[in-house]
Amino acid sequence: MGQKLITVLSEMIQLHEILIPLSERKHEAIIERDMESLTDIMKSEKDLLLQLNLLEEQRQQLTSELAGDQEQTLKEVLGKLSPAVKRMVESRANELKQQAEKLKGLNEQNEELLKDAMAFIHYMIGHLTTPREQSITYGRPNQKKTAAPRGYFDTKA
């Protein structure tokens, strides 16, 4: 049972080792506004995350089997393993935790970049579509306005 747990944790580590450089490539694609690369990266990432989710379910199942069908964390189950297996599981779990934290940090950076890009796009759309308050040229003071003010795209050349 402990060997299966080590195998599952090792496979999760391998997936994280693929996801981290993929997330770094995503960061570069966002900065360069390369939508084709970003789309390809996100497709690859989706497949890897599905695999990671399946492995996490296996890990939880193995942990609950070790705990006697009780929901316990990996830390709580370590006492039921032999010392050699316990050290290996702890080592793999620590490595997995470090990689997960690194991946989380990269994803947070990417999220911030996307939020900033969306805020800029929203600002530009608002700036280009809101009606102008004042005409570019001076008008006659006693002249009535003939039409409602137009947005940037609605003005005549």
Side-chain angles (χ1 to χ4, degrees):
M1 187 79 57
Q3 202 59 35
K4 288 181 184 178
L5 187 59
I6 291 170
T7 303
V8 169
L9 290 174
S10 296
E11 289 175 9
M12 290 174 78
I13 290 169
Q14 288 174 352
L15 285 176
H16 276 80
E17 288 173 350
I18 297 169
L19 282 167
I20 289 171
L22 201 61
S23 186
E24 291 170 348
R25 282 187 25 221
K26 187 198 299 187
H27 184 83
E28 293 170 11
I30 292 170
I31 290 172
E32 294 173 6
R33 291 181 232 131
D34 185 358
M35 297 312 293
E36 289 180 32
S37 294
L38 188 59
T39 303
D40 293 340
I41 290 168
M42 290 178 72
K43 285 179 185 175
S44 300
E45 199 174 45
K46 180 182 174 185
D47 294 337
L48 292 169
L49 290 174
L50 287 173
Q51 291 176 19
L52 189 61
N53 192 32
L54 291 174
L55 288 171
E56 176 61 20
E57 288 174 6
Q58 287 179 5
R59 186 200 63 78
Q60 288 176 353
Q61 182 181 3
L62 288 169
T63 304
S64 66
E65 287 175 13
L66 282 169
D69 290 329
Q70 297 173 0
E71 289 190 28
Q72 291 187 343
T73 63
L74 188 61
K75 216 176 221 181
E76 295 167 345
V77 173
L78 287 175
K80 298 182 180 186
L81 299 172
S82 67
V85 174
K86 179 181 175 181
R87 280 192 302 274
M88 291 182 73
V89 168
E90 284 178 331
S91 171
R92 297 280 195 285
N94 287 333
E95 186 177 350
L96 183 60
K97 182 179 177 183
Q98 289 173 354
Q99 287 184 340
E101 288 173 354
K102 182 174 182 177
L103 186 61
K104 181 182 176 184
L106 288 169
N107 284 333
E108 287 172 354
Q109 287 178 349
N110 290 340
E111 182 181 359
E112 286 299 315
L113 283 174
L114 288 172
K115 282 181 182 178
D116 290 346
M118 292 303 293
F120 177 73
I121 289 169
H122 184 5
Y123 168 77
M124 289 305 294
I125 288 173
H127 179 69
L128 295 174
T129 58
T130 55
R132 288 186 286 182
E133 299 294 323
Q134 186 178 20
S135 175
I136 295 174
T137 59
Y138 291 106
R140 295 183 197 158
N142 56 357
Q143 183 182 8
K144 293 182 181 179
K145 292 185 179 182
T146 57
R150 298 176 181 215
Y152 182 79
F153 289 117
D154 295 334
T155 58
K156 294 181 181 179

